[in-house]
Amino acid sequence: MTTVALAATDGMLHFELSLACEVFGNGPAGTVDPWYRLSVCGPSSVRVGRFRLEPDHGLDRLPHADTVIVPGWADIDQDPPAELIEAVREAHEAGARVVSLCTGAFLLAAAGLLDGKRATTHWAHTEELARRHPRVTVDPDVLYVDNGSVLTSAGKAAAMDLCLHLVRLDHGSSVANRLARRLVVPPHRDGGQAQFVSTPVPAPDNHPLAELFPWVLQRLDHPLTVEDLARRARMSSRHLGRLFRSATGTTPLQWLLTQRIRHAQELLETTDDTIDAIATATGMGTATTLRRHFHRTVGVPPDTYRRTFRSQTRRAGTTPVPGVAVRRP
């Protein structure tokens, strides 16, 4: 792939657009010559966030590119311009590799390019993408999906993961690694969006479970059962299950396991405790059990997660709060 066209219209997110420009506009020195030929395509002057952008070409240039990149769409409730949808569709029909970053997946779905395919977008919008486009198999847990001619990424930083993946496909791992080193980012990240998804806990109010949630979060090191929770809430296990499903969208046991995993994440980020100690503190019992559930839920082993997150958490000055689930923006 030699030519990359970056679609730009009013209402797009500047972070993903700038990120793509940095990756495909400037190659690592002394590796590939020539690098990609990048052009920004859009209608006249474009407003991107707080910035005004002057495209190199109109949208009619998209079908002539080898790769077309659609950055994130700021307001998913607003329909993308029909001319952009048509230009992206024509580019795909002409043989271009079409890539969406973050919520750009909504535009690809509107163009029909994701029908019958697996795709992803920012975890906060995966349910909405699936609701609007039932013919798309939306995967909320991955950083990106490669369908060959159509690729989609999760939110924000996952756009970098997908862009580096494209470079790796086109020029090999060595070049992608050198580019990542220049950009001071990991050349490859393990796991998926599950590392970053926050699990909501209903705010204390008049909800029948309002007092139960903080009680559980303070006792995650205990071997709690559904019966224990029902007894504390003074209701039957069946009624507890119905209320849990209504309040959290999941079962009591699954919610409890998720809170244990979130607490394990917090301890991995903020302490030097061994995996055995964290398993005890989170009610997992053994390191083997913790590793199994953690890897299945988060997508990476506990040790890998600790290496990724602990240093940046400490730099931010975060201190551990016992029993509180970690929440990510």
Side-chain angles (χ1 to χ4, degrees):
M1 298 285 175
T2 55
T3 59
V4 175
L6 185 57
T9 61
D10 289 342
M12 286 188 165
L13 298 169
H14 62 271
F15 178 84
E16 291 82 355
L17 190 147
S18 302
L19 181 152
C21 284
E22 184 63 31
V23 170
F24 299 105
N26 301 281
T31 52
V32 179
D33 186 22
W35 190 239
Y36 298 94
R37 294 198 302 272
L38 174 68
S39 61
V40 178
C41 303
S44 60
S45 183
V46 175
R47 185 73 178 182
V48 181
R50 294 192 174 193
F51 306 101
R52 181 68 64 180
L53 181 67
E54 298 293 335
D56 304 310
H57 306 285
L59 292 174
D60 57 352
R61 182 62 68 93
L62 294 185
H64 301 283
D66 297 310
T67 297
V68 171
I69 297 181
V70 180
W73 195 245
D75 185 359
I76 64 169
D77 294 324
Q78 179 182 354
D79 293 333
E83 60 177 339
L84 177 57
I85 294 176
E86 184 58 30
V88 169
R89 187 185 294 122
E90 289 180 5
H92 182 257
E93 292 173 352
R97 178 174 60 181
V98 180
V99 181
S100 70
L101 307 179
C102 193
T103 49
F106 282 84
L107 191 144
L108 268 58
L113 303 189
L114 300 181
D115 288 353
K117 293 182 175 66
R118 183 164 156 260
T120 194
T121 188
H122 191 290
W123 62 263
H125 304 298
T126 50
E127 290 186 4
E128 181 62 18
L129 180 63
R131 186 190 68 79
R132 291 190 201 175
H133 303 279
R135 297 182 62 186
V136 180
T137 302
V138 181
D139 190 336
D141 297 326
V142 295
L143 294 176
Y144 57 83
V145 175
D146 182 348
N147 288 299
S149 64
V150 179
L151 301 90
T152 54
S153 87
K156 297 301 179 184
M160 176 63 80
D161 294 297
L162 180 51
C163 288
L164 288 174
H165 172 68
L166 295 173
V167 173
R168 193 176 300 112
L169 289 175
D170 297 340
H171 301 294
S173 295
S174 177
V175 173
N177 291 346
R178 290 189 63 176
L179 176 61
R181 191 175 300 116
R182 178 173 69 79
L183 297 173
V184 199
V185 297
H188 176 77
R189 287 193 297 163
D190 296 315
Q193 294 196 76
Q195 300 174 85
F196 309 97
V197 178
S198 56
T199 303
V201 177
D205 53 16
N206 294 325
H207 193 279
L209 301 180
E211 295 182 2
L212 179 65
F213 288 114
W215 182 84
V216 173
L217 293 176
Q218 294 170 8
R219 292 165 177 80
L220 291 176
D221 57 330
H222 290 53
L224 298 172
T225 66
V226 174
E227 289 71 24
D228 292 331
L229 272 60
R231 190 178 305 112
R232 176 67 185 183
R234 298 183 180 85
M235 62 183 66
S236 69
S237 298
R238 178 175 296 183
H239 188 45
L240 177 77
R242 286 196 295 266
L243 289 175
F244 249 89
R245 176 69 67 176
S246 173
T248 69
T250 189
T251 65
L253 281 181
Q254 185 57 52
W255 181 86
L256 179 59
L257 175 61
T258 300
Q259 302 314 309
R260 295 191 194 281
I261 295 296
R262 296 306 181 210
H263 189 36
Q265 288 177 297
E266 180 185 14
L267 294 175
L268 288 166
E269 293 177 19
T270 59
T271 75
D272 294 318
D273 293 352
T274 65
I275 302 300
D276 287 289
I278 292 175
T280 300
T282 57
M284 293 287 191
T286 67
T288 300
T289 301
L290 172 60
R291 285 192 171 96
R292 183 175 70 252
H293 287 296
F294 195 96
H295 199 167
R296 186 178 63 192
T297 302
V298 180
V300 294
D303 298 305
T304 301
Y305 183 90
R306 168 172 270 169
R307 286 195 300 270
T308 302
F309 285 104
R310 182 171 59 175
S311 60
Q312 62 194 56
T313 301
R314 284 182 169 175
R315 283 196 301 270
T318 302
T319 55
V321 182
V324 177
V326 176
R327 304 182 185 280
R328 305 203 177 286

